[in-house]
Amino acid sequence: DEGGVDSSGSSHGIIGVKRTPAANSEVTQLYRELSEADAKGGLDAFGMFLFAIVLKHMDLRDRAREVMGKSCAAFPLNWSAWLELASLTDSYHQIEELDLPDHWVKGFFLAHMDLELQKNKRGLSRYHDLATHFPNSHYVQSQMALASYNMRNFSSAQALFEKILKEDPYRLDNLDTYSNILYVREQKTQLSFVAHNALRNEKYRPETCCIVGNYYSLKSQHEKAVLYFKRAL
């Protein structure tokens, strides 16, 4: 463990963005049809992606991980499949068991997994390497900020988030984590700016609600803070 801060926001007492899947009454029928098609080799990369989602919904995680890995191998440019694979993976050993493609997207996946498994130094190193090939990627910069945040290097994380915000003021991804830093460092003026900017851009995003919740919490307006944190959930 290279840092005790979970980028979801849950372990340090400041709420983070967490989404809950909705129930689907058609899962059993989907499973039956997709399982039959898979047995006949009739699923392409996107069919396997859907099948893995169904398996995940049914809590068949090992099988879901196997099928999602095959989907990634069949069409490596489906980043959604890699993210779903990450959500099904709990260890590096499970990654090694998969026959993943030798593709540049795999580097993004491995760096993402480093952060998920709290190997933040390794993840930060991978993202530094990726940044040499994608120097203007706000996603890569944001992930580097998350890794720094997880390691409690708040100054570096804040500098990266502020660079991203300056270059793309409409971006909200991971700004709830940025607001956590501003909250912890009691930077009320900057947190106010970020909160108003987020509300202006997209007031119903969970990230926005977390940012505004942190803002009201820092102002000791706890009832309003709780209201926005509930909205985020």
Side-chain angles (χ1 to χ4, degrees):
D1 188 349
E2 297 167 359
V5 180
D6 179 357
S7 59
S8 70
S10 60
S11 68
H12 50 82
I14 304 174
I15 198 164
V17 176
K18 197 98 171 174
R19 294 176 175 85
T20 303
N24 188 335
S25 60
E26 305 299 326
V27 167
T28 302
Q29 181 63 26
L30 281 169
Y31 171 76
R32 186 179 300 114
E33 293 178 7
L34 291 168
S35 183
E36 290 175 359
D38 182 59
K40 297 175 182 177
L43 295 180
D44 63 7
F46 301 100
M48 287 186 282
F49 173 76
L50 178 59
F51 186 31
I53 294 293
V54 171
L55 290 165
K56 177 184 176 181
H57 190 91
M58 298 178 70
D59 205 28
L60 300 172
R61 290 177 58 84
D62 290 343
R63 177 66 174 138
R65 184 169 57 253
E66 177 189 352
V67 175
M68 194 64 78
K70 291 180 179 179
S71 176
C72 292
F75 188 76
L77 293 178
N78 182 6
W79 181 237
S80 294
W82 291 98
L83 289 178
E84 288 293 340
L85 180 60
S87 74
L88 292 162
T89 304
D90 303 315
S91 69
Y92 291 108
H93 176 69
Q94 291 177 346
I95 297 174
E96 293 168 358
E97 290 179 333
L98 300 172
D99 187 18
L100 297 177
D102 185 17
H103 193 279
W104 58 266
V105 179
K106 182 181 177 181
F108 281 85
F109 169 73
L110 293 175
H112 176 83
M113 284 306 309
D114 286 335
L115 267 59
E116 289 294 300
L117 298 173
Q118 288 295 305
K119 298 299 181 182
N120 296 294
K121 289 182 181 178
R122 182 188 297 179
L124 186 57
S125 177
R126 288 193 205 268
Y127 281 118
H128 275 297
D129 290 340
L130 288 168
T132 64
H133 300 287
F134 302 92
N136 299 317
S137 170
H138 290 152
Y139 169 79
V140 171
Q141 294 168 22
S142 179
Q143 293 297 104
M144 290 168 64
L146 286 178
S148 297
Y149 171 79
N150 288 346
M151 294 187 290
R152 296 187 175 88
N153 190 345
F154 294 154
S155 295
S156 294
Q158 182 171 347
L160 282 165
F161 278 126
E162 288 176 353
K163 177 180 182 295
I164 295 167
L165 192 59
K166 182 178 180 180
E167 294 175 356
D168 186 0
Y170 297 102
R171 179 185 172 90
L172 290 174
D173 294 349
N174 297 323
L175 281 193
D176 51 317
T177 300
Y178 176 41
S179 76
N180 291 348
I181 296 171
L182 298 176
Y183 175 88
V184 169
R185 306 186 86 179
E186 299 184 354
Q187 296 185 9
K188 189 180 297 184
T189 301
Q190 180 64 7
L191 184 51
S192 173
F193 168 77
V194 174
H196 283 89
N197 186 66
L199 283 168
R200 185 166 53 248
N201 290 340
E202 195 170 346
K203 65 181 180 179
Y204 296 115
R205 275 276 292 267
E207 291 88 346
T208 297
C209 295
C210 288
I211 293 166
V212 176
N214 276 335
Y215 169 69
Y216 280 124
S217 184
L218 189 56
K219 291 185 66 179
S220 296
Q221 297 184 23
H222 301 302
E223 289 186 3
K224 287 185 177 180
V226 169
L227 174 64
Y228 275 93
F229 287 143
K230 285 183 177 179
R231 288 179 181 176
L233 296 173

